[in-house]
Every structure is written in C-alpha cells, then in structure tokens.
Amino acid sequence: QLLEWIRRTIPWLENRAPENTMQAMQQKLEDFRDYRRLHKPPKVQEKCQLEINFNTLQTKLRLSNRPAFMPSEGKMVSDINNAWGGLEQAEKGYEEWLLNEIRRLERLDHLAEKFRQKASIHESWTDGKEAMLQQKDYETATLSEIKALLKKHEAFESDLAAHQDRVEQIAAIAQELNELDYYDSPSVNARCQKICDQWDNLGALTQKRREALERTEKLLETIDQLYLEYAKRAAPFNNWMEGAMEDLQDTFIVHTIEEIQGLTTAHEQFKATLPDADKERQAILGIHNEVSKIVQTYHVNMAGTNPYTTITPHEINGKWEHVRQLVPRRDQALMEEHARQQQNERLRKQFGAQANVIGPWIQTKMEEIGRISIEMHGTLEDQLNHLRQYEKSIVNYKPKIDQLEGDHQQIQEALIFDNKHTNYTMEHIRVGWEQLLTTIARTINEVENQILTRDAKGISQEQMNEFRASFNHFDRKKTGMMDCEDFRACLISMGYNMGEAEFARIMSIVDPNRLGVVTFQAFIDFMSRETADTDTADQVMASFKILAGDKNYITVDELRRELPPDQAEYCIARMAPYNGRDAVPGALDYMSFSTALYGESDL
C-alpha cells in the first residue's frame, strides 16, 4: 500500500505544468501544503512502522532458529527506501517551483493589469480625436475662429507628443507579456496593434489638419490678443478668488488671544485688498466686452468662447459675489472667537492666581509639619496640640481647594490645555493636598504612639529628648527615618561592639517588615528595651541561634569568629556538649547554657 501510494504521488509531484491563473496555482500550493501537513506524515509513520515490524520479525525468527523472512520481489526494505528516496527527490523543489510560478503569474497579472489601465487611459484619451481631426470646420469659420482653431491644434499637438511615451510603454508591456508567455497574449497583441495603428493614423490626421489650418489662417489679430490678455488675467484672478473663498471658510483652532488677534489682523489686511481686486475684475470683464463688440462689428459667429481659458465672466462674477458674502460671516466668527478667548484668558488668570497661592501654602505646611515632628520644643503633648491646631487649619482650607476644583472644571469644559500664569496643575494641587492630609494624620499618630510608649515604659521627657536628638543626628537624609548604615553608626556611637549576625538580629527587631529603614517609634522601642536591660533567656538563645546559622548547636569556630575573644572563651569554657541527633564533633549546647546563664551579670 505504501509503495502504491508513493507510485501515485511521485507523478503528481513531478508535474510541472503551469496554470494560467493565480487562483489555480495557489490551489496547487494549498494542495501541496495539505500533502505536507495531512497526507505525508501518516505515510512517514507507516514507513517507520514497516521497518520496525520487519526488524522485530527478523529478530524473533532468528531467536527461534527459523529462517529469515524474505519479502516478495520489489517489497524489500531497500525497495521501500529507494521508492521513498524517489518521493523525496520529486518533492524537492516542487514547492519552490510553485512559488516561482506564483511570482511569475503575479508579475504577469501585474503587467496585464498595467497594460489594461494604460490602454484604457489611452483609448479614453483618443476617443473622438479622429473625428475631431477630420472636421472641416475651418472651411466656413471666421478669421477669429481660424486663429483659435490653430492655437487649439498646436495645443493638441503638444498633448499628442506628450502621449507618445504612453504608447511606447503600452508596446513595451505587450512585448514583455509575450516574452513571459502570457496566456492571453493574442488579445493583448490585438489591442496593442489597434492602438499603434490608431496612433499612426492620429499622427497623419494631425499633420493633415495643421496644413489645412495654416492655409486658411486669416483671423483678426485684435480678437486673438484680447482673448490672450483675458486668459492671462482671468486665471490668476480666478485662483485668487478660489484661495480667498477657501481662507474665508477655513475653520480655525486657536488657544490664545494673541492667536485670534493675529487672525483678525490678517483678515483686516485681506479686506483692505478688496477694492483693488474689484478694479481688476472690472478690467477683465472690460476685455471680454471689447471682444464682444468686435465680434458684432465683423459679424463673426464666435459664440463667446475663448480658446485660452474656460473661465467665463459669469463664473468670475459668481465667485466674486460669493467672496463678498463670506467676508461678514468671517467677521462674525472672528468676533465670537475673540470673545471666547477673552473668557478663557480670564479663567486662566483666575485659576493661576489661586493655584499660585495654594501650591506654596501646601509646600509651606508640609515643611512646618516636618519641623514640628523632629524638633524638641516642649513636651510631646505640646507637639500634639500644635499638630492638631495645624490639622484644624488645614481642614478649614478645604473650601479653597474646592473652589480651585470648580475653576479647573470650567477650564476643562472650555478645552483650555495650557496656562502661562502658573506652573501648578490641578493634579499637582490634588497630590500635594492628599500628601498634606496624610502627613499631618501620620505625624499626629506618631506623636500619640510616642506618648503611649513613654507612659507605658516610664520614659522621662529628658530621655525622650535625648532619643530624638540622637535620632535626628544620625538621620542624615532628614527623612524622619534612619537607613541601615545610619542605624549602625548610631549603635556604634552608643558603644555597641557587634558582628554582622548580631546587627542582623537587632535589625529584625526594629525592622520586622524588612523595609531597610528604622522609624523613630521603632528606635524608641529598642532604646527603651536596651536601657531597661530586659534581655531574657529566650532572647539570648535567639542571638546564639542566629550566630549558629539556625542550627540547634554552635561550634567553637563560630563562637570565636562572631564574639569578642574574652566572651568567646567564657562561653566555650561553660557550654556543655550537644548530644542531639544532628550533633557533630565538638558541638556545644547553647540552649542549656542560655537557660543556666540567664540572670548572670558578667556575660
């Protein structure tokens, strides 16, 4: 079955017959990817299973002393491998061929579409040109009409020459489509040949008509010059009117009084040019009127046409009237916007004046609260009363914040995005106000806790002042908290001689949340414990446990490394050996030592 599948698949993979359409080639690619994804993987598994079955069968036969199994002719494992190799060889490059074919068809489709577009544009342009060139209108035309026809014909010749490149491009694309074996080349060739033949005919007819026009050119020079003068002056004037209408109807977005004043000034300057513009309009219309008089004099059937421009006097008058109507509308819009910007500026100044007072007031209060919390003037009760008075004054300031919020709401509704009258934003004020409320509440709470600690532990006001002075001295960053290095320096200044483990134990007491800082409250708690000398046996054991790295015993080397020499020798001489299951040679029992030692003073 596997060999039969391979035999059927290889011809399909070796088929390199190209398709004519992109859809058909993409379907081939999709079929090949389905083959790779859906059909081939099961066959790979079947091939592998055949080899496994064959090898297993041979092994069992050999172990049973039976003759080896010999598949029928053409169905050996080597035959399967050879056939599979042929399949792989056929498959190799098939996808690349498919992709190359798709790219070729894409190129062909692109070229064909490009050919059709250029051909359609050219055919659209040439539509009616042959009939126009074959007209005999010059036989009965007046002198002025002949002059116009000659100018028009010259313009057509320029246009014709400009289209030469497109015809050459069409022929080149058709040639490339032929070289790339485009399936619809016959229709392309036929259309290209028709375009080339028509182009040659247009050239011949153009030359023929020019010769005819030149023979009959006897038009009045005056009319021609007047038409030319009219066109030269009407075109820029028409452009000016169109630009003026665009500017007068242009929407404007301004954010300051200066911007709207600039627009108003520009508008006034524009209005000052209107009298001169009206004079130019009348002069242009006068040229047209003069042409009309000449036509009537010579009984020339000109029908009021001008070969140099399509702009008519009626069009000029219509646009001019439109400009005159737009000017007062622009005046009204600028006045309304100026009033709005004046109101916006008033809102900016109103907000800026309040924000420039409230912002510094918040900053000043923050600094004053910070000074109260670290200064040592009076008792803690005095500080608490002072802080509560500050809190009351801060709460009484809330209506001014609310008033500023109202002004800010008006600014937002007016879509005002900047304010040169202040550096404060409402967000800055809100954040500062919230920080101020939080700071005063936290500071009051800290002082209340200090009072509770002082009363509970019998700390005198002098001691509290000493604690505060020491804390302030070592709070080098003046943040109201000491970091680890500040606290270490403080302990050393008080005579502590400790290793890293002992310092870690103390930090775990004063900074249980491991934030890396020591608050004044934690400092007071620590100092009150130290001054009260209330160490217990459990605390001593906890210290030894840290020194021992959380083990239930401690070694001589660890004691000598972590403790001063006299204390280390004292402990080594008095500690009993540790006999627990996890004991190591030389292990000492610091737990029994701590229990027995608790209460002695010479440690």
Side-chain angles (χ1 to χ4, degrees):
Q1 290 175 354
L2 179 61
L3 288 172
E4 175 61 22
W5 178 81
I6 292 172
R7 184 187 65 77
R8 293 195 313 270
T9 304
I10 287 176
W12 174 69
L13 291 172
E14 290 177 340
N15 180 15
R16 298 293 194 272
E19 298 289 346
N20 290 332
T21 65
M22 176 67 71
Q23 184 178 3
M25 286 306 298
Q26 286 177 336
Q27 184 59 47
K28 274 194 171 186
L29 180 60
E30 189 61 30
D31 293 342
F32 178 70
R33 287 175 177 167
D34 286 343
Y35 157 79
R36 278 274 187 84
R37 187 174 61 253
L38 303 175
H39 303 305
K40 186 179 178 183
K43 299 304 178 182
V44 173
Q45 185 62 32
E46 289 179 19
K47 176 178 177 293
C48 180
Q49 190 62 44
L50 279 172
E51 293 178 357
I52 292 171
N53 291 344
F54 181 79
N55 293 334
T56 302
L57 177 59
Q58 297 294 60
T59 300
K60 289 183 178 181
L61 289 173
R62 186 171 65 255
L63 293 175
S64 301
N65 293 322
R66 296 175 59 184
F69 170 68
M70 290 298 293
S72 58
E73 184 67 26
K75 296 181 181 177
M76 299 289 289
V77 172
S78 59
D79 296 326
I80 295 174
N81 287 335
N82 290 337
W84 190 265
L87 177 71
E88 296 282 357
Q89 187 63 31
E91 182 182 318
K92 183 178 181 181
Y94 184 66
E95 184 176 20
E96 183 179 354
W97 172 80
L98 285 173
L99 294 174
N100 287 336
E101 277 298 304
I102 288 174
R103 283 192 285 270
R104 185 181 72 85
L105 286 176
E106 283 179 338
R107 173 65 177 163
L108 284 173
D109 286 350
H110 172 72
L111 286 173
E113 180 60 25
K114 190 174 181 181
F115 175 84
R116 286 191 288 271
Q117 288 180 354
K118 287 185 176 294
S120 297
I121 292 172
H122 178 78
E123 290 166 350
S124 176
W125 179 83
T126 58
D127 184 33
K129 294 294 189 296
E130 290 177 309
M132 178 197 72
L133 292 172
Q134 292 173 342
Q135 286 178 352
K136 304 295 183 180
D137 49 354
Y138 54 83
E139 293 179 351
T140 56
T142 64
L143 295 177
S144 57
E145 288 175 336
I146 293 298
K147 176 72 76 172
L149 288 174
L150 185 60
K151 294 292 183 182
K152 185 177 179 181
H153 188 71
E154 290 175 355
F156 173 76
E157 287 180 327
S158 298
D159 198 9
L160 187 71
H163 281 73
Q164 177 68 34
D165 286 344
R166 179 176 286 114
V167 175
E168 293 175 356
Q169 290 171 6
I170 290 171
I173 294 172
Q175 178 63 28
E176 189 172 356
L177 286 171
N178 279 285
E179 292 173 355
L180 292 176
D181 196 21
Y182 183 52
Y183 76 96
D184 198 21
S185 291
S187 63
V188 170
N189 293 337
R191 190 173 185 182
C192 179
Q193 187 61 46
K194 181 180 178 182
I195 289 172
C196 292
D197 293 343
Q198 186 186 37
W199 183 255
D200 293 339
N201 190 37
L202 282 174
L205 290 174
T206 300
Q207 180 62 27
K208 184 177 180 181
R209 182 170 176 81
R210 163 166 278 283
E211 293 171 355
L213 288 172
E214 287 177 347
R215 286 193 304 268
T216 57
E217 182 183 6
K218 293 177 182 179
L219 299 177
L220 294 174
E221 189 66 23
T222 304
I223 291 180
D224 180 76
Q225 290 300 322
L226 288 172
Y227 270 149
L228 184 59
E229 180 66 17
Y230 175 90
K232 286 181 178 180
R233 297 177 69 172
F237 185 72
N238 182 67
N239 289 336
W240 177 85
M241 287 192 297
E242 290 179 347
M245 288 188 293
E246 182 179 346
D247 292 340
L248 289 169
Q249 297 178 92
D250 185 27
T251 58
F252 48 81
I253 300 175
V254 295
H255 300 99
T256 64
I257 290 180
E258 291 77 12
E259 291 177 354
I260 191 63
Q261 287 175 342
L263 289 176
T264 302
T265 301
H267 182 63
E268 293 300 324
Q269 292 173 350
F270 167 77
K271 289 197 294 185
T273 65
L274 290 178
D276 290 339
D278 191 34
K279 291 179 182 179
E280 176 66 11
R281 178 184 69 89
Q282 293 175 1
I284 293 171
L285 295 178
I287 295 173
H288 180 77
N289 292 335
E290 189 174 350
V291 170
S292 299
K293 291 178 182 178
I294 294 174
V295 168
Q296 292 174 1
T297 300
Y298 290 93
H299 304 288
V300 179
N301 186 21
M302 295 297 295
T305 59
N306 188 332
Y308 301 113
T309 182
T310 58
I311 302 171
T312 64
H314 177 74
E315 185 178 353
I316 290 176
N317 285 330
K319 290 181 179 180
W320 176 256
E321 185 62 28
H322 193 198
V323 169
R324 292 180 64 251
Q325 293 173 358
L326 289 174
V327 169
R329 297 181 194 172
R330 185 73 168 185
D331 288 333
Q332 182 64 28
L334 289 171
M335 290 176 57
E336 292 174 356
E337 182 60 28
H338 190 271
R340 191 175 76 87
Q341 288 302 324
Q342 286 181 322
Q343 171 65 9
N344 289 353
E345 185 66 11
R346 185 188 66 78
L347 291 175
R348 286 191 185 96
K349 290 181 178 179
Q350 181 175 315
F351 179 87
Q354 294 187 73
N356 289 336
V357 173
I358 293 174
W361 183 87
I362 291 174
Q363 183 63 31
T364 301
K365 292 299 178 184
M366 289 285 287
E367 295 172 356
E368 292 175 353
I369 292 169
R371 286 198 298 271
I372 292 172
S373 66
I374 65 174
E375 290 175 352
M376 297 175 288
H377 299 310
T379 64
L380 290 176
E381 285 77 3
D382 293 337
Q383 294 182 20
L384 184 61
N385 290 334
H386 199 178
L387 287 170
R388 283 176 174 162
Q389 291 175 3
Y390 262 79
E391 183 180 35
K392 184 177 180 181
S393 68
I394 290 170
V395 171
N396 292 336
Y397 205 77
K398 183 65 165 60
K400 295 187 177 181
I401 303 294
D402 295 337
Q403 182 180 353
L404 191 64
E405 285 282 7
D407 293 343
H408 177 65
Q409 179 67 24
Q410 294 181 34
I411 283 178
Q412 286 188 321
E413 292 172 354
L415 301 178
I416 299 173
F417 302 107
D418 56 0
N419 192 342
K420 66 181 180 181
H421 302 293
T422 182
N423 292 325
Y424 293 99
T425 66
M426 196 63 231
E427 186 62 27
H428 291 153
I429 299 296
R430 290 192 194 109
V431 171
W433 177 253
E434 291 168 1
Q435 289 178 344
L436 181 61
L437 294 177
T438 302
T439 300
I440 187 65
R442 184 178 67 247
T443 305
I444 290 173
N445 178 255
E446 288 176 354
V447 175
E448 289 174 342
N449 288 337
Q450 291 172 24
I451 293 172
L452 291 175
T453 302
R454 181 198 65 190
D455 295 343
K457 299 191 176 184
I459 302 173
S460 67
Q461 185 63 43
E462 290 75 12
Q463 285 178 310
M464 187 64 72
N465 290 342
E466 290 177 3
F467 292 160
R468 170 55 76 181
S470 178
F471 185 88
N472 290 346
H473 176 74
F474 287 97
D475 177 16
R476 290 176 296 181
K477 299 183 179 66
K478 303 305 176 186
T479 60
M481 295 179 287
M482 287 192 289
D483 60 23
C484 293
E485 293 306 316
D486 293 341
F487 186 54
R488 184 194 297 273
C490 182
L491 293 178
I492 292 173
S493 72
M494 292 189 293
Y496 279 82
N497 185 12
M498 59 198 164
E500 287 297 328
E502 176 64 10
F503 181 68
R505 180 188 73 80
I506 295 174
M507 281 300 296
S508 68
I509 295 172
V510 298
D511 182 23
N513 295 325
R514 300 182 183 277
L515 301 177
V517 294
V518 179
T519 64
F520 183 60
Q521 183 62 42
F523 181 71
I524 293 174
D525 292 341
F526 173 76
M527 293 303 298
S528 63
R529 285 199 303 271
E530 291 298 309
T531 55
D533 192 19
T534 57
D535 280 354
T536 65
D538 290 338
Q539 290 175 326
V540 174
M541 279 190 282
S543 298
F544 274 119
K545 191 173 184 68
I546 293 173
L547 297 179
D550 284 337
K551 300 192 296 293
N552 293 323
Y553 59 86
I554 193 167
T555 65
V556 172
D557 291 338
E558 290 172 338
L559 288 170
R560 287 175 175 162
R561 182 175 65 248
E562 300 292 344
L563 295 178
D566 56 336
Q567 292 185 12
E569 296 304 324
Y570 179 92
C571 295
I572 293 169
R574 288 164 175 75
M575 280 190 186
Y578 177 74
N579 298 319
R581 293 183 178 180
D582 53 344
V584 300
L588 299 177
D589 187 353
Y590 62 78
M591 295 184 181
S592 61
F593 171 78
S594 300
T595 303
L597 187 66
Y598 176 58
E600 294 182 13
S601 61
D602 56 346
L603 181 60

